[in-house]
Amino acid sequence: MEVVIAPERELAALAADAIESLLRRRPRTVLGLATGSSPLKVYDELARRHTEDGLSFAEARGFMLDEYVGLAADHPERYRNVIATEIAERVDWPADQVRGPDGLAVDLPAACAAYEESIRAAGGVDLQLLGIGTDGHIAFNEPGSSLASRTRIKTLTRQTRVDNARFFDGDVERVPTHCLTQGLGTIMQARHLVLLATGKHKAEAVHQLVEGPVSALWPATVMQLHPHATVLVDEAAASRLQLADYYRQTYASKPDWQGL
Ligand code: GLP
């Protein structure tokens, strides 16, 4: 696992570099998309590169990590709409090439199975962007999630609903109680995992993710078992890392030409 400690703007540029390099090499790249505040600066940077440098998403495919159950099709916080607004519509990404689990399906388990199949049919995810919840969840894999889980229905913890209330006018009761989420086993099949975390409120989760024992109690720790995982954190999110100096030293001595 590579840990990079840098200011947020630099982290966003690094993640955008990794995505750009994939898209330039293979326009049909499959990108894994995350919602939440963590990837927003990456999306800003990609949109800028699209406008200024002609970076194209025209042939790329995108798969979202998760979706709330039951939010109306036109609800602005429905993750499908969030991703459309934050990235897909800011670049040349055809709407039908960006998919997410269907939180409005009548048969939710069938929708989860269909979603797994569509990722498989696309050849799997090349690069998966991730954020992390304060309780250590990735996507919506809450504590206690099976480390081998696949896309399924999950009940959100009170903590996650409180954390996400800011997107629902601060009213926790308006945050849905259930979601569909790629499982940890699904996420682990992506070829490169790139997780972003900023702010002191993420410091404990980041410490557990990088240095804690692999455990369902901190679901993100499963990333320790991934052969190509990158953790991009600012100083505040890195503040509880025991080996922070070593990560800094390792990254400082990395050749410039080598990407993430
Ligand atoms: C949300 C999302 C996750 C996200 C996490 C952190 O609930 N389902 O995909 O990574 O919580 O969110 P943020 O980046 O806003 O802190």
Side-chain angles (χ1 to χ4, degrees):
M1 186 179 283
E2 179 176 36
V3 180
V4 180
I5 305 169
E8 192 176 5
R9 187 192 295 269
E10 260 174 64
L11 302 176
L14 284 171
D17 287 348
I19 292 170
E20 175 164 6
S21 125
L22 281 173
L23 286 169
R24 299 259 186 220
R25 266 184 289 144
R26 199 164 66 90
R28 277 180 67 75
T29 287
V30 181
L31 296 174
L33 303 168
T35 47
S37 9
S38 304
L40 291 181
K41 289 203 163 50
V42 181
Y43 297 149
D44 287 346
E45 180 60 16
L46 291 172
R48 188 191 67 75
R49 293 181 191 196
H50 167 70
T51 310
E52 293 176 18
D53 309 329
L55 180 65
S56 176
F57 293 75
E59 291 182 50
R61 271 83 44 85
F63 286 94
M64 292 163 41
L65 280 173
D66 45 16
E67 183 59 274
Y68 290 115
V69 167
L71 280 191
D74 61 351
H75 195 292
E77 289 307 323
R78 191 177 181 220
Y79 280 171
R80 209 173 270 208
N81 298 334
V82 171
I83 287 294
T85 310
E86 299 297 352
I87 181 67
E89 289 172 358
R90 299 167 74 190
V91 297
D92 58 344
W93 212 341
D96 63 347
Q97 284 166 217
V98 180
R99 305 187 62 168
D102 184 1
L104 285 173
V106 178
D107 185 343
L108 291 171
C112 292
Y115 192 59
E116 284 277 332
E117 181 48 36
S118 60
I119 297 174
R120 226 185 337 264
V125 171
D126 292 307
L127 184 150
Q128 176 65 61
L129 281 177
L130 293 160
I132 187 169
T134 55
D135 62 2
H137 72 240
I138 50 174
F140 269 138
N141 291 283
E142 298 284 31
S145 291
S146 158
L147 301 183
S149 49
R150 312 301 305 194
T151 304
R152 68 209 182 292
I153 307 165
K154 284 294 284 184
T155 305
L156 297 175
T157 62
R158 180 81 186 166
Q159 177 68 57
T160 296
R161 294 180 67 227
V162 168
D163 287 349
N164 287 4
R166 68 191 192 282
F167 297 114
F168 293 83
D169 297 327
D171 182 359
V172 67
E173 296 313 322
R174 289 171 59 186
V175 183
T177 53
H178 292 81
C179 65
L180 303 185
T181 180
Q182 283 192 33
L184 294 169
T186 319
I187 293 168
M188 287 290 284
Q189 282 184 323
R191 289 179 268 281
H192 185 191
L193 303 181
V194 178
L195 183 142
L196 293 117
T198 56
K200 206 159 184 64
H201 61 303
K202 298 291 175 75
E204 176 64 13
V206 166
H207 161 62
Q208 294 291 341
L209 152 66
V210 179
E211 298 171 332
V214 174
S215 155
L217 197 55
W218 292 93
T221 56
V222 73
M223 288 174 59
Q224 292 177 26
L225 301 173
H226 197 284
H228 192 187
T230 307
V231 176
L232 304 174
V233 286
D234 70 355
E235 288 291 344
S239 58
R240 298 200 60 177
L241 288 174
Q242 287 174 15
L243 302 181
D245 287 343
Y246 174 63
Y247 309 138
R248 278 187 240 276
Q249 192 188 324
T250 305
Y251 186 65
S253 58
K254 191 173 168 178
D256 282 345
W257 52 263
Q258 200 179 353
L260 295 179

